[in-house]
Amino acid sequence: MRLLKLVPDNTNIGFVRLRYWAFGITALLTVAALAIVGLRGLNLGVDFVGGVLIEARFQQAPSLDAVRGDVDRLGVGEAQLQTFGAPNVVSIRLPLPQTNDEGATNRLVKNVESAVAAKYPGVAFNRAETVSGKVSGELVRNGLLAVFLAVLGIAIFSWVRYEWQFGVSTFVAIAHDVLMALGFFALTRLEFDLNIVAAVLTIIGYSINDKIVIDDRIRENMRKYRSMDMRALIDLSVNETLPRTVMTSLTVLLALAALLIFGGPVLRGFTAAMMLGVVVGTYSSIYVSSSLLITLGLTPSITPKKATGPAAGAERIGR
Amino acid sequence: MLDFPRWKVVTIWAVLLIGVLLAIPSLMPESTAGKLGLGHFPRINLGLDLSGGSHLLLEADTADLAKQNLAKMEETIRTEMRRGSPKVDIGDISTANGQLSFFVRDVAQLDAAVERARSQTQAVGVTGQRDWNVAVVDSTRIVMTPTQAGLSDSADRAMQTATEVVRKRIDELGTREPTIVREGATRILVQVPGLQDPAGLKALLGKTARLEFKLVDLTANPADIAQGHAPPGSVLVPYPGNPGGIPSIAVQRRTIISGDDLINATVDKDQNGQPAVSIKFNGAGGRRFAQVTQENTGKPFAMILDNQVISAPNINEPILGGNAIIQGSFTTDSANQLAIALRSGKLPVALKVIEERTVGPQLGADSIHAGVIASVIASVAVIVFMLVTYGRFGVYANLAVVLNIFVILAVMALLNATLTLPGIAGFVLTIGTAVDANVLINERIREERRRGRGIVQSIELGYKEASRTIFEANTVHAISGLIMLVLGSGPVKGFAVVLLIGIAISYFTAVFFTRMLAAQWLRRRRPTVLVI
């Protein structure tokens, strides 16, 4: 049986040679992502900004303007409407009622639901969520802190385990991945809620895996070929791991594509983010983290074979 | 060598077999599992985002609690100073700025008063710190301030009780498998699968249900009450349903009997056939009630719920035997809710809903359905892909990945973990890592083979080198998972749990299980060609 080989044996692609181009493109994309996030902002869900969210499934796709008008007539504040996965599934977001009255939110939800139901028979309400401003603030803080410290922890591990250059390059590359994901959400206006934080974490996880595999190979080759030029060594390492990179990325993309197409509207934003993450993570492993190692001045000579204490190399006289 | 001792082979198969068996109950509908007698086996819980239901996050009003503590201490000090001998004459007692302060009329008694106030404080925590600081200012004034340790201790105790009360009230509703857990210092998380209308639940939980019976102060002048003045020894309490017109009433400060003495409350009908709540007191409460009603026959008394009078009937006859009936303008529903609230004890502290989520069952079912279909398609695609790429070793990898999924489900069921939408993301990533581990091994074998090594040596080296890389990658991955588990909340945590379980298991299946299969194949067949 002839087996499938996606990447020919002994590839020798000059990745490192292209690194200045890659740096340029990366810088451009990063600035673009930052700009989009800064200018348009993320479409933060009620998890993060507080408020009321009602999700309605209509019999037929309604006109959003008409529904907005119906909700606005109730005088409950400015409603934000958005279709959610399918044209007949609409999420209605409202500000929290400004009172201390516990029942006010319930009445608000009931009001909106009955007003919409009166106008559109057969509408079903899938879910309703209310998050107070206090909780949403904490959710943002905890989520960000967890993500940031996780990335920092990885960087410290890489630094302690390998060389500091690996720590820095991994940190930069993962930060880049996260930024790209945020840019994607700012660009598409997909709702950014706590579930998406999980998607971003998945991106980080995938990216870490990818980077450690390549870093590990670089380190292995640094021991093997002590006098090799660093650029050639990185090219060699990336090329050696290329079949695995392509194979794994493709497999995961395949699985995610199935989830994207058949996984239903709830999973869609989530899956799209992860697919982007796989592409971006693979790219950043090759171009951001590996190439950055050269810029940071990593050379094989600074990884001597592990010394086992000061006396390891000393001469000894025995009986 | 690729030699595998028999005990290792047996252990690996045993672990996987147990894993698969334990995963099976989670994979079938609950009713089917029950029919097959598997109802008692651990199952994976589905999060509310997948199963539908209501999620409420409640927060205790600690300011209210501190206020209650102050009021209680005020009462204690009043009685202690009066009751002890010699009696200490105090005045100008006030509870402003979170402090209790009063002055002692006779300076000679100051030390005795401080001593008596101090004896009312308690040591809390490991350091033995007192819960109140007692200080003398301006030589005649005693100021009592709750300490930080005292405040957090009382909050902690209140939260413990509140969690229990919430649990009891929800159990009374008869809902299925609610989750009630304390979160952090001041919060309680309530999740009720299947509950679609959380309004009733919220109303039930929001009730502090502090029930008190007090005598109505008949000396009070209606004009004074209307102006908000109460006679000495009495307080004004709101009475929205007062047939007399004024929406408040003066009652004596002293509580005849409180909800603490209550042992049962049920829905009943009053003499007019209106819904009412019938209550039953314990022995001590019943005796006190009997005594007070004997002494005050013909006079009205007030039933006060959460500092609001719900009814103030006349005592027609002494109420002996510890049974009484609460009448008010109840509907059957509101009578039932009051009965539940009374029955499950009073909440020591007011709880506020700060987060509320309701997911319709249809949405949850759709998500699961779509998720399952997508997973099956994804799995088939990955399996075929691995097979055409790695042949025999692809079969091993596929077996490893499939078993991996089963074992993760089993471990989650054993740990009673909850699968949520973010958990599914963790699952996808885990499967990705499992596939990756196998890809790493197989690619490494190919590589070693290209370098001209023999079949056995290629496979051995491939496993050895790849295992190191997989270990490195998994360790880093696990570190990030641990950080998320410790720091994250909700979805981040759910994600981290699945991730950590998955990392450990995928390492096991990829490195040990497939290696064993490869070793057995090598030994049995002694292949001369390696197709990979």
Side-chain angles (χ1 to χ4, degrees):
Chain A
M1 182 170 67
R2 254 309 267 133
L3 294 179
L4 178 71
K5 262 187 196 157
L6 290 170
V7 179
D9 294 346
N10 300 318
T11 50
N12 189 16
I13 304 171
F15 291 105
V16 171
R17 207 157 25 99
L18 295 171
R19 74 180 187 283
Y20 292 112
W21 283 100
F23 281 168
I25 294 169
T26 309
L28 218 68
L29 281 175
T30 310
V31 171
L34 269 173
I36 294 173
V37 173
L39 291 176
R40 298 186 64 164
L42 292 166
N43 178 15
L44 292 172
V46 288
D47 292 338
F48 292 132
V49 289
V52 179
L53 177 135
I54 301 167
E55 191 186 303
R57 177 190 294 259
F58 292 87
Q59 296 279 25
Q60 284 126 21
S63 142
L64 286 188
D65 282 332
V67 180
R68 187 178 292 117
D70 294 333
V71 176
D72 281 344
R73 255 194 293 286
L74 298 170
V76 287
E78 197 193 336
Q80 287 179 43
L81 270 73
Q82 197 174 18
T83 55
F84 189 82
N88 67 326
V89 180
V90 177
S91 80
I92 304 168
R93 263 166 60 188
L94 294 163
L96 279 176
Q98 297 293 325
T99 94
N100 283 325
D101 178 8
E102 287 273 317
T105 315
N106 276 335
R107 285 199 298 276
L108 167 68
V109 172
K110 280 256 156 63
N111 264 343
V112 173
E113 288 187 353
S114 51
V116 172
K119 204 69 176 274
Y120 303 89
V123 66
F125 298 98
N126 285 336
R127 60 187 173 128
E129 301 189 353
T130 306
V131 182
S132 79
K134 190 177 170 189
V135 179
S136 60
E138 281 171 34
L139 291 174
V140 174
R141 216 170 39 241
N142 289 345
L144 285 180
L145 193 71
V147 172
F148 177 74
L149 286 178
V151 176
L152 196 69
I154 294 155
I156 291 173
F157 179 86
S158 301
W159 169 47
V160 172
R161 192 85 180 76
Y162 305 151
E163 300 294 334
W164 65 268
Q165 284 94 341
F166 286 104
V168 174
S169 67
T170 308
F171 185 83
V172 171
I174 294 176
H176 160 266
D177 298 344
V178 172
L179 214 63
M180 287 297 145
L182 293 184
F184 170 75
F185 275 95
L187 188 71
T188 55
R189 303 300 291 163
L190 283 169
E191 190 168 295
F192 195 89
D193 58 16
L194 273 177
N195 287 333
I196 301 301
V197 172
V200 173
L201 293 176
T202 315
I203 294 173
I204 295 177
Y206 181 83
S207 190
I208 293 167
N209 210 50
D210 217 36
K211 280 158 194 61
I212 296 293
V213 168
I214 296 181
D215 284 358
D216 192 71
R217 183 60 73 108
I218 292 174
R219 195 176 50 149
E220 187 188 323
N221 283 337
M222 278 165 72
R223 288 198 181 139
K224 222 190 253 171
Y225 312 105
R226 301 202 157 212
S227 52
M228 196 188 261
D229 173 53
M230 202 57 208
R231 277 181 292 254
L233 194 143
I234 288 180
D235 263 347
L236 175 72
S237 308
V238 174
N239 273 301
E240 277 179 352
T241 47
L242 197 62
R244 120 76 202 32
T245 308
V246 172
M247 184 67 197
T248 299
S249 306
L250 224 76
T251 324
V252 174
L253 282 178
L254 208 62
L256 285 175
L259 221 52
L260 184 77
I261 299 168
F262 305 103
V266 181
L267 288 172
R268 202 149 286 158
F270 197 75
T271 319
M274 287 204 270
M275 290 186 87
L276 176 90
V278 170
V279 175
V280 171
T282 307
Y283 165 81
S284 73
S285 299
I286 296 174
Y287 275 111
V288 184
S289 72
S290 306
S291 301
L292 200 59
L293 288 172
I294 302 171
T295 313
L296 292 172
L298 184 72
T299 53
S301 55
I302 61 168
T303 31
K305 212 165 180 78
K306 256 196 187 150
T308 52
E315 284 179 45
R316 276 166 180 234
I317 299 171
R319 274 193 304 153
Chain B
M1 275 307 279
L2 280 163
D3 236 10
F4 253 81
R6 183 166 284 275
W7 67 268
K8 256 192 193 168
V9 176
V10 173
T11 314
I12 291 174
W13 278 116
V15 168
L16 294 175
L17 192 71
I18 293 172
V20 171
L21 287 179
L22 281 176
I24 288 173
S26 298
L27 288 172
M28 49 174 86
E30 204 166 344
S31 52
T32 320
K35 260 183 234 150
L36 293 172
L38 297 172
H40 294 295
F41 280 86
R43 289 174 66 86
I44 272 197
N45 296 321
L46 289 180
L48 292 184
D49 50 354
L50 296 178
S51 65
S54 293
H55 157 119
L56 293 176
L57 188 61
L58 308 166
E59 188 173 60
D61 186 348
T62 42
D64 172 64
L65 187 67
K67 234 159 111 192
Q68 278 184 47
N69 284 345
L70 268 179
K72 254 187 247 160
M73 188 49 95
E74 183 187 346
E75 280 304 311
T76 313
I77 292 295
R78 274 183 201 278
T79 11
E80 276 305 308
M81 297 298 171
R82 201 167 48 220
R83 217 192 265 158
S85 78
K87 182 178 165 199
V88 177
D89 211 1
I90 60 168
D92 193 20
I93 192 159
S94 79
T95 55
N97 303 326
Q99 297 177 322
L100 173 66
S101 100
F102 54 92
F103 84 98
V104 180
R105 289 184 203 279
D106 183 355
V107 183
Q109 280 187 313
L110 188 70
D111 286 346
V114 169
E115 202 40 55
R116 223 173 272 175
R118 221 162 246 161
S119 70
Q120 295 309 309
T121 64
Q122 273 159 8
V124 288
V126 278
T127 53
Q129 208 187 344
R130 313 297 293 182
D131 54 355
W132 294 76
N133 276 331
V134 183
V136 178
V137 295
D138 302 340
S139 68
T140 55
R141 181 164 284 279
I142 296 177
V143 174
M144 296 182 72
T145 321
T147 61
Q148 205 49 53
L151 284 176
S152 52
D153 180 66
S154 86
D156 188 52
R157 268 180 300 132
M159 285 303 289
Q160 273 176 20
T161 319
T163 311
E164 269 321 297
V165 172
V166 168
R167 190 187 313 280
K168 274 199 230 154
R169 287 190 191 171
I170 289 174
D171 284 348
E172 293 275 356
L173 280 174
T175 45
R176 207 169 46 90
E177 294 174 42
T179 309
I180 297 125
V181 283
R182 193 169 152 193
E183 279 208 335
T186 57
R187 290 186 180 161
I188 302 173
L189 174 69
V190 177
Q191 293 190 322
V192 189
L195 184 77
Q196 289 314 314
D197 176 26
L201 180 64
K202 269 164 73 178
L204 191 60
L205 294 177
K207 281 222 163 58
T208 31
R210 208 165 0 188
L211 180 71
E212 293 162 310
F213 290 83
K214 291 180 175 185
L215 284 171
V216 175
D217 189 346
L218 294 172
T219 64
N221 181 339
D224 284 347
I225 293 176
Q227 287 193 340
H229 300 304
S234 292
V235 282
L236 286 189
V237 182
Y239 185 8
N242 190 359
I246 308 166
S248 54
I249 188 171
V251 297
Q252 291 180 6
R253 219 181 251 279
R254 194 167 82 94
T255 303
I256 306 170
I257 197 167
S258 76
D260 297 343
D261 291 314
L262 195 77
I263 50 177
N264 200 7
T266 48
V267 179
D268 208 344
K269 292 260 189 286
D270 66 6
Q271 60 273 28
N272 304 320
Q274 292 302 307
V277 177
S278 150
I279 51 179
K280 189 171 169 56
F281 293 112
N282 61 16
R287 274 194 297 280
R288 199 155 62 245
F289 202 51
Q291 189 202 338
V292 173
T293 48
Q294 252 163 356
E295 288 165 6
N296 297 282
T297 309
K299 293 181 194 162
F301 73 100
M303 298 173 188
I304 304 166
L305 185 71
D306 292 332
N307 210 31
Q308 212 174 69
V309 177
I310 46 172
S311 165
N314 278 324
I315 302 168
N316 292 331
E317 53 193 345
I319 300 169
L320 308 172
N323 284 312
I325 190 160
I326 305 177
Q327 303 160 13
S329 42
F330 291 120
T331 63
T332 315
D333 268 353
S334 65
N336 191 32
Q337 291 224 347
L338 175 61
I340 291 176
L342 290 175
R343 205 155 53 213
S344 48
K346 70 172 188 190
L347 276 171
V349 56
L351 295 175
K352 240 184 145 150
V353 178
I354 50 172
E355 190 186 333
E356 179 188 341
R357 292 164 201 271
T358 313
V359 180
Q362 196 49 47
L363 183 67
D366 283 354
S367 301
I368 297 219
H369 188 67
V372 168
I373 290 185
S375 306
V376 168
I377 293 173
S379 309
V380 169
V382 171
I383 285 172
V384 170
F385 191 45
M386 293 290 274
L387 198 69
V388 297
T389 311
Y390 297 124
R392 167 179 295 277
F393 283 77
V395 176
Y396 296 165
N398 284 333
L399 266 175
V401 174
V402 171
L403 285 171
N404 193 47
I405 295 172
F406 275 96
V407 180
I408 294 175
L409 287 174
V411 172
M412 286 185 72
L414 279 179
L415 292 178
N416 207 14
T418 303
L419 186 66
T420 57
L421 214 51
I424 291 184
F427 226 99
V428 172
L429 178 59
T430 304
I431 293 166
T433 351
V435 169
D436 185 51
N438 285 291
V439 169
L440 271 168
I441 293 167
N442 292 338
E443 287 296 336
R444 195 75 195 214
I445 296 174
R446 277 186 175 178
E447 214 177 303
E448 297 299 333
R449 200 67 189 125
R450 269 205 302 277
R451 286 189 185 145
R453 293 192 208 277
I455 292 173
V456 176
Q457 213 190 1
S458 290
I459 294 177
E460 200 184 326
L461 257 176
Y463 268 98
K464 199 176 139 226
E465 296 292 329
S467 299
R468 195 200 60 232
T469 309
I470 297 168
F471 184 76
E472 294 281 343
N474 282 1
T475 310
V476 182
H477 215 158
I479 291 174
S480 63
L482 271 176
I483 293 174
M484 290 174 211
L485 184 68
V486 174
L487 289 172
S489 61
V492 177
K493 230 179 195 129
F495 175 82
V497 170
V498 178
L499 184 64
L500 285 173
I501 296 174
I503 287 172
I505 295 167
S506 72
Y507 187 76
F508 175 78
T509 53
V511 173
F512 294 107
F513 175 67
T514 63
R515 187 181 201 155
M516 178 189 77
L517 294 179
Q520 286 176 335
W521 173 67
L522 278 182
R523 235 192 358 224
R524 255 199 329 270
R525 289 286 156 87
R526 311 223 169 258
T528 48
V529 222
L530 180 65
V531 186
I532 186 163

